[in-house]
Structure formats: C-alpha cells, structure tokens
C-alpha cells in the first residue's frame, strides 16, 4: 500500500488532511515515532520532525512539492497509572507536522 493511501482513522484535523499516522513515545532519552513503514527518533520534538521529513523523503512515497501532514499520536500506555490525566493527554502530547516534501 502506498504511504499516502487512505487508512482507517485518517481524516481532517485542524484543517489539515492527515496523510500518515505515527505512534509517538518518549523512551526516557529520545522522542520516538513510527509505524509499520518507518521508525525515527530525535532528542527534541524539532529534531524528530526533521527526521520524520527525511525518512518520508527516503521512502519515495511522495513526489517533491507534495503537501504532507503527519499526525504523531502519543501512546498513552507508555505512562504507568496515567488514568487520572488521560483526558488531557491529546492536548499535551499529540502533534501535527505539516510540510512540503523536498523543502
């Protein structure tokens, strides 16, 4: 399946069409994002974002100039005993990364 093929759970978020979803965690030292196609990490969210862009470019799934929106969804199960603040987590942990490939 091509990287930009529609998958269940994708759609429009904050006015952006989501092209790809990645699971987001923090391993205690680095932010880590991935799915069945790519895996990247970075010491900061900014570095992680740049590494996501590079990884998608390396796949060849998007021609240069294509607008891509990546949804980074934090995996809440990585935080023990998080049930009391789970309602706030999407606000603090989920991220959208939008960019044009090749830039």
């Amino acid at each position: 399946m091509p990287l930009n093929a529609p998958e269940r759970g994708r759609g429009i978020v904050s006015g952006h069409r989501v092209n790809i979803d990645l699971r987001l965690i923090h391993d205690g030292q680095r932010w880590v994002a991935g799915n069945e196609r790519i895996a990247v990490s970075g010491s900061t969210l900014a570095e992680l974002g740049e590494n996501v862009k590079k990884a998608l470019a390396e796949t060849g799934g998007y021609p240069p100039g294509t607008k891509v929106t990546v949804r980074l969804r934090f995996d809440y199960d990585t935080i023990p005993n998080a049930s009391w603040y789970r309602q706030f987590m999407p606000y603090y942990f989920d991220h959208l990364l939008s960019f044009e490939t090749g830039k």
Side-chain angles (χ1 to χ4, degrees):
M1 173 175 10
L3 284 175
N4 58 353
E7 290 182 12
R8 195 171 190 199
R10 297 229 180 109
I12 305 295
V13 177
S14 299
H16 298 276
R17 177 165 169 52
V18 175
N19 302 96
I20 187 168
D21 284 307
L22 299 179
R23 174 181 175 253
L24 175 66
I25 65 167
H26 194 276
D27 68 5
Q29 295 183 359
R30 299 178 65 78
W31 290 99
V32 180
N35 63 14
E36 65 280 353
R37 297 180 187 106
I38 66 169
V40 295
S41 67
S43 57
T44 65
L45 287 172
E47 181 182 350
L48 177 69
E50 290 302 314
N51 292 340
V52 167
K53 292 176 188 179
K54 289 176 190 173
L56 288 177
E58 289 172 4
T59 68
Y62 298 98
T66 302
K67 183 164 175 115
V68 177
T69 298
V70 178
R71 180 171 34 200
L72 300 154
R73 289 186 172 187
F74 192 80
D75 184 350
Y76 309 132
D77 293 332
T78 62
I79 299 176
N81 302 315
S83 61
W84 68 272
Y85 57 91
R86 213 174 271 269
Q87 63 184 331
F88 303 107
M89 287 183 173
Y91 178 77
Y92 290 110
F93 292 117
D94 292 353
H95 294 275
L96 284 179
L97 177 63
S98 293
F99 58 94
E100 280 189 33
T101 56
K103 293 189 177 189

